[in-house]
Amino acid sequence: MIKLLFIISLLAIYLWCGQTDKGRKVYFLTAIVLSFIRVLKVPVLGDIMPAMPMFGIMLVTETYKSLSALKGWYLYWLAVIVSFLIGLLSTDILRAFSWIGPVWDVMAIATLTPLYIKRYEDLQRFTRCILTVSFIYSFTTILAFWGFYDGVVLLSTTDSDIINQSRIYGISYSNLTQTLSVITICLLPRANINKKVVYLLIVIFSYAAFVTLKRMSFIAIILSLLYFVYVEYKERQYKSVLIIAVLAILASGSDLLMFILDRFDIFSNTTAMTITDHSSQTRVDRINFAMDSFIRSPLWGNGAGYAIYIHNGLMEILANCGLLGIVFIVAQYLKPLRGIFSRNPWSMCTLIFLITGFSLEAAISRPELMCFLGFFIGGYTVSENLHIDYTKQDEQQIKCDYSDI
């Protein structure tokens, strides 16, 4: 009952804000910023994620006004519904809802973004909101790494597991969000913010990703920094190369570099017949389970929630949604890749996400991770609608502040 009143309150705020275009944009951007809250522990209310019902309210109202709000996503929505209905037969309603949630989040954010972000100035604000989320994740991770974060998740909690995780990984209490935060480095050349701030954010994002000690974090750092340096080099901003040198020196001067190399030492963790690394073996077992599940029902899968936390998004969708999911769901995730060769930063963010979080981790089962994919797809759609040419340095459209360097 209390949670229902909370959602009604969010709806009332939206109806009040929705009276003007500016109010609707503010509500949408606020939901973006609040997406860093994985679980908000509030007395009486319990576990809530305020951004998710906010996106839901916006999507329902926009769809009610016109079904064109879902333009381009009809078949995606159909695949999700079919998977959910099958999931009710193979699992239970709570598990099916839980798995559908993150997949739904991608569609909600990606479809809402072009409805609220229609000008280049709005796209800049949207970008800064995403960078704000990345900063909060990364900064609290660094505080936790140095022992300055007490584990409180905003309004505190009595859940000792969450407190302990937060003391290690920061406000998200997950070491995966920092990997996606570092991907947003690709957005920095076009964020129209002071270059000194840009360099500082690169160091914060990269350092936070380093201390998570995740293999996919190291891959994301390398790919994101390479893209950043490539764009800056093309625009004759050679100072950015120093960032790579500084980070390399910091890594080589500590035990982090040796640990990184050890994490990628695959041969030391294998024998002639088996993988001796426990983490790797668990992933292989779950992928094998997903493959067996897909073979058992290849066309429409075994239903939402049948296979969860498979450390490969493609295999997880195959197991749950079958080939129907590949054609209608994964196809939507691949659309932004069309802008790779035109140096579109949203395309590069999507590509790195698919290589790391989607292919190497269980991102598809985690709403706080899939939100990033929604951001990237939505940003790409807006950039295409605005016909932004990222291969040119247009002083009126794409401009960074170099005034005080």
Side-chain angles (χ1 to χ4, degrees), residues 113-146:
T113 302
L115 296 179
Y116 294 97
I117 308 299
K118 297 181 178 180
R119 300 182 305 162
Y120 183 75
E121 293 76 12
D122 296 332
L123 183 59
Q124 293 294 301
R125 296 188 186 98
F126 177 68
T127 303
R128 291 179 191 134
C129 287
I130 296 173
L131 291 172
T132 299
V133 174
S134 297
F135 173 77
I136 294 172
Y137 279 143
S138 300
F139 187 66
T140 57
T141 295
I142 294 173
L143 290 180
F145 180 75
W146 289 102

Side-chain angles (χ1 to χ4, degrees), residues 117-397:
I117 308 299
K118 297 181 178 180
R119 300 182 305 162
Y120 183 75
E121 293 76 12
D122 296 332
L123 183 59
Q124 293 294 301
R125 296 188 186 98
F126 177 68
T127 303
R128 291 179 191 134
C129 287
I130 296 173
L131 291 172
T132 299
V133 174
S134 297
F135 173 77
I136 294 172
Y137 279 143
S138 300
F139 187 66
T140 57
T141 295
I142 294 173
L143 290 180
F145 180 75
W146 289 102
F148 296 113
Y149 196 78
D150 63 2
V152 174
V153 182
L154 289 190
L155 297 184
S156 188
T157 175
T158 56
D159 191 327
S160 60
D161 290 337
I162 294 179
I163 291 178
N164 292 332
Q165 287 292 94
S166 295
R167 286 172 177 160
I168 300 173
Y169 301 125
I171 201 166
S172 171
Y173 61 90
S174 167
N175 61 354
L176 299 176
T177 54
Q178 287 70 40
T179 300
L180 305 185
S181 297
V182 81
I183 294 175
T184 59
I185 286 176
C186 297
L187 302 177
L188 290 173
R190 309 303 191 190
N192 196 23
I193 57 179
N194 184 278
K195 271 295 177 177
K196 290 181 180 178
V197 176
V198 168
Y199 293 154
L200 178 62
L201 289 177
I202 289 176
V203 172
I204 291 174
F205 292 170
S206 300
Y207 188 75
F210 265 125
V211 300
T212 63
L213 304 179
K214 299 289 290 182
R215 281 169 283 202
M216 77 167 190
S217 295
F218 309 141
I219 296 173
I221 291 172
I222 293 172
L223 294 178
S224 301
L225 289 177
L226 285 176
Y227 173 80
F228 178 84
V229 171
Y230 172 75
V231 172
E232 295 289 278
Y233 180 80
K234 284 288 185 179
E235 298 177 3
R236 304 181 186 280
Q237 303 300 325
Y238 304 115
K239 290 182 180 180
S240 63
V241 180
L242 295 176
I243 293 292
I244 307 298
V246 170
L247 290 173
I249 292 172
L250 289 175
S252 62
S254 66
D255 293 332
L256 280 176
L257 182 61
M258 295 305 299
F259 188 88
I260 291 171
L261 295 176
D262 181 65
R263 288 284 283 166
F264 282 96
D265 189 4
I266 301 173
F267 297 103
S268 65
N269 292 325
T270 60
T271 65
M273 295 297 294
T274 62
I275 301 174
T276 58
D277 178 75
H278 176 71
S279 174
S280 299
Q281 185 61 59
T282 301
R283 293 166 189 246
V284 170
D285 291 342
R286 296 204 62 77
I287 290 175
N288 287 337
F289 168 74
M291 177 60 75
D292 293 339
S293 302
F294 166 65
I295 294 173
R296 187 162 53 249
S297 181
L299 186 56
W300 46 71
N302 298 272
Y306 183 81
I308 60 174
Y309 294 104
I310 308 299
H311 284 72
N312 182 282
L314 188 64
M315 292 307 306
E316 186 162 336
I317 289 178
L318 280 173
N320 289 285
C321 307
L323 295 175
L324 184 71
I326 296 297
V327 175
F328 297 145
I329 295 179
V330 177
Q332 288 293 117
Y333 302 161
L334 299 178
K335 283 185 177 180
L337 301 186
R338 292 179 293 190
I340 288 292
F341 295 106
S342 60
R343 302 213 301 264
N344 189 311
W346 302 100
S347 299
M348 183 55 64
C349 286
T350 305
L351 176 63
I352 299 176
F353 178 94
L354 294 176
I355 292 174
T356 55
F358 190 78
S359 300
L360 303 177
E361 283 292 345
I364 199 106
S365 300
R366 300 173 183 268
E368 74 278 10
L369 305 185
M370 293 301 281
C371 278
F372 277 91
L373 182 57
F375 298 155
F376 301 152
I377 297 175
Y380 170 78
T381 303
V382 173
S383 68
E384 287 293 292
N385 291 344
L386 295 175
H387 305 291
I388 300 177
D389 186 355
Y390 287 104
T391 62
K392 297 179 180 179
Q393 191 176 8
D394 187 328
E395 293 185 356
Q396 294 182 350
Q397 276 195 324

Side-chain angles (χ1 to χ4, degrees), residues 83 85-92 301-306 320:
S83 178
L85 294 176
I86 297 174
L88 294 180
L89 301 176
S90 60
T91 58
D92 59 76
N302 298 272
Y306 183 81
N320 289 285

Side-chain angles (χ1 to χ4, degrees), residues 43-64:
V44 183
L45 289 180
D47 298 354
I48 61 171
M49 294 179 66
M52 295 306 107
M54 291 175 74
F55 289 130
I57 289 169
M58 287 183 280
L59 184 63
V60 170
T61 53
E62 293 296 339
T63 305
Y64 176 76

